[in-house]
Amino acid sequence: MSKDIEVGGEIEKDYQDPPPAPFIDSKELGKWSLYRAVIVEFIATLLFLYIAVLTMIGYKIQIAADACGGVGILGIAWAFGGMIFVFVYCTAGISGGHINPAVTFGLLLARKVTLARAILYIMAQCLGAICGCGLAKAFQTSYYDRFGGGANGLSEGYGIGTGLAAEIIGTFVLVYAVFSSTDPKRNARESYVPVLAPLPIGFAVFMVHLATIPVTGTGINPARSFGAAVIFGKAWHNHWIFWVGPLIGALIAMLYHEFILKAGVIKALGSYKSFY
């Protein structure tokens, strides 16, 4: 395993942080690689929602016939976490495997992607989610509306504050897992990390679903919530929670990773003092 190397009394890194992405890069708009990545985000989000929503509806069909039947909350959580693992693994080399506007937002704030890429990704993710839920409805027309269409909403007995907190904390866990598993320092020092990066991300989604399905149905992905609400058409009450919560959670995760764990605050203060 590589380590920091001391040269002339100073510590040198054995890895290189990628340079910050420019906030606006007009040249990027003329590259096919950008639009290829956008298409990949669209398809991945479409298939993710298609499988996940069908799993939720299938479970409700089963328990309607047999209270002890179906895959249960555990199975639903596995469907969401497993599909994220699969699609992050498949798409990471092309688009980065975001499949979630909150992840894209966090990476934009950390200057890992440009503004244009972030906007196109979020549009593709939302459109993919709508198409995925629409496809699920086409396959389960008679049950889709009857069993809620996989839409998010506050469960009975939970207030807005609780639901918002659940979405913030859940998204923090997910985005923190994304930042940590893709950290260039870890990639340089632990050769297995790039291969296994989708695993902790998928497990983060799985564990958060186990904890918050009873509260909000688990959003932590604004595109997932938006797509289901559009196709179901009856889940707009308190829908803002499933945008505001994940975006705040992503912001906190970015600040924690970039300024606390990577000592961004200390480095900034050091540069400020050395300037004066």
Side-chain angles (χ1 to χ4, degrees), residues 228-246:
V230 168
I231 299 300
F232 183 55
K234 306 172 186 176
W236 295 110
H237 185 60
N238 292 326
H239 180 74
W240 63 269
I241 290 174
F242 302 102
W243 282 89
V244 175

Side-chain angles (χ1 to χ4, degrees), residues 15-276:
Y15 68 96
Q16 291 293 327
D17 283 314
F23 190 67
I24 297 176
D25 184 3
S26 58
K27 293 181 179 179
E28 186 180 44
L29 295 173
K31 296 179 179 179
W32 164 244
S33 59
L34 170 62
Y35 301 103
R36 179 183 63 177
V38 170
I39 293 170
V40 164
E41 286 291 312
F42 168 78
I43 296 297
T45 312
L46 184 157
L47 294 175
F48 165 56
L49 265 296
Y50 167 70
I51 297 295
V53 169
L54 279 185
T55 301
M56 295 178 67
I57 294 174
Y59 163 65
K60 292 184 178 181
I61 293 172
Q62 290 171 319
I63 62 171
D66 179 4
C68 297
V71 297
I73 290 179
L74 183 64
I76 294 172
W78 270 121
F80 278 88
M83 292 307 294
I84 288 297
F85 167 73
V86 169
F87 285 120
V88 170
Y89 182 84
C90 292
T91 63
I94 300 174
S95 69
H98 297 193
I99 322 174
N100 185 335
V103 171
T104 301
F105 179 67
L107 294 174
L108 172 65
L109 295 178
R111 296 190 64 185
K112 307 293 185 183
V113 297
T114 64
L115 177 62
R117 183 176 290 265
I119 291 173
L120 290 174
Y121 272 22
I122 291 173
M123 291 173 61
Q125 291 156 1
C126 289
L127 184 58
I130 292 171
C131 294
C133 291
L135 193 59
K137 183 175 182 178
F139 274 80
Q140 292 283 7
T141 304
S142 59
Y143 295 104
Y144 189 87
D145 290 332
R146 178 182 172 187
F147 292 114
N152 290 120
L154 288 175
S155 299
E156 186 176 352
Y158 293 99
I160 292 176
T162 302
L164 182 62
E167 290 296 307
I168 291 172
I169 295 170
T171 310
F172 171 85
V173 172
L174 168 59
V175 178
Y176 172 46
V178 170
F179 274 107
S180 295
S181 60
T182 59
D183 192 315
K185 181 176 182 179
R186 297 195 65 200
N187 291 347
R189 297 182 174 188
E190 302 167 359
S191 60
Y192 58 85
V193 168
V195 178
L196 295 181
L199 189 59
I201 297 172
F203 262 106
V205 173
F206 167 67
M207 297 304 294
V208 169
H209 273 75
L210 287 181
T212 60
I213 282 177
V215 182
T216 62
T218 309
I220 68 171
N221 183 335
R224 173 259 186 274
S225 302
F226 180 70
V230 168
I231 299 300
F232 183 55
K234 306 172 186 176
W236 295 110
H237 185 60
N238 292 326
H239 180 74
W240 63 269
I241 290 174
F242 302 102
W243 282 89
V244 175
L247 295 182
I248 292 176
L251 169 62
I252 296 172
M254 184 280 295
L255 294 174
Y256 176 63
H257 185 266
E258 296 294 307
F259 293 97
I260 304 298
L261 298 186
K262 296 186 73 173
V265 172
I266 302 301
K267 293 175 184 176
L269 288 175
S271 299
Y272 176 80
K273 290 179 180 178
S274 65
F275 180 77
Y276 288 98

